[in-house]
Amino acid sequence: MPAIPVTVLGPSGSGKTVYLASLFRRLAIPRPDLGFHVQLSPEQSTKLNRIYQQITSPDVWPDPERRADILEWDFACSVRTARNETYSPFSITYLDYSGEHLTEPDGRVEAGGRVLRRIQESEFLLVLLDGVKVLRFLEGDPRLTEDLVAVFAHMLQSKGIVHFVITKWDVLAAAGHTVQAVMDCLLQHPDFRDTVETLLRSSAGAKGMRFIPVSSVGPDFAALGPDGLTMVKKGGFPAPMNVEIPFMAVLLDLFAAQLRELEQQGTPESQQIAQSSQRLSWVRMARDRVPLARTFLRAAAARSPVMRLVRDHMAEVFLQFVETQATVYGERVEKDISRLRDRMLQATSQKEALAGLLELFQAKLAEFEAEHPGSRLIKKEASWTA
């Protein structure tokens, strides 16, 4: 199963680990409105479940990020076909790390270098913007962009597709802000605007980028505290909002590429099956004619001393060799045919499952864009537009 590297970028406190824990809880159970689910190793599932338990506890939030923490979470994506078959065509590996590795380097070259290499290798980057800091930015506080300068510097070294994820959206929504208004305000800052323009001019940016509002806990679980900076729990249960949308945006491109690959695999494998079947037919024909050859040699040996010598010292050994090799080769070819047929059927089933998910994700993202106009930026000729 190929692993697709996705890096979640963001300063300390932007909500990376809480987001991943909420995402896992949302996707770990097959749900009719999603069409797919994810699986993690038992160890990783336990870790994320513990983090989620801290989120749902009445009085504490998960422990603050520690600079030593650099974790990779392997989400195996599983989809089902109409025939109730499950396939896991690939996995997504999320890198989660302390944001201080980017914003407050402390000389720990090994950890910082690992994060930087991963950013450069990633096909997708999710840049998390702290919703509380975004709210303060809308009110004139510049700390959001000050924290993001170091993140942008690293982000621009990647050739991957970038989506911006605005966390704690319930805080911004409660204040009456829309995605379009937030994005317009962010793009007025020269550092943010120039970074976005650079991304849209890149080959990956040609596919566009998204500003995706999410809430890992939902609108009624927590509220902004009296200090205007921290979140205070109100009780009840979390109701995550839009946490799967960034995941769907990433998978949409991956599924499209996977379907193109499956399209290319169909005909060659069909040809290989036909060729292997022809070889198997020849092998069986040769093996079936060995008894006839033995009968001929016995009859010839009865008439000729020379043929008797051939039969006794040469032919029988040769025929036994042919018969044995034909059987071994035939079994191998049969296994090859079975393996090729299974692979082709699996590819067909994966294609069915992935095609269905593409339709579902396109519909879900279209519904999301209708609810949040302007959430997607697309390059148009020499300019870009929402």
Side-chain angles (χ1 to χ4, degrees), residues 181-193:
V182 170
M183 188 175 65
D184 289 344
C185 184
L186 290 172
L187 292 174
Q188 290 178 12
H189 192 285
D191 291 340
F192 206 103
R193 182 183 63 249

Side-chain angles (χ1 to χ4, degrees), residues 108-122:
R108 296 180 70 248
V109 176
E110 180 180 355
R114 178 181 171 188
V115 174
L116 180 56
R117 286 192 301 272
R118 175 56 184 267
I119 293 172
Q120 294 170 336
E121 294 169 356
S122 290

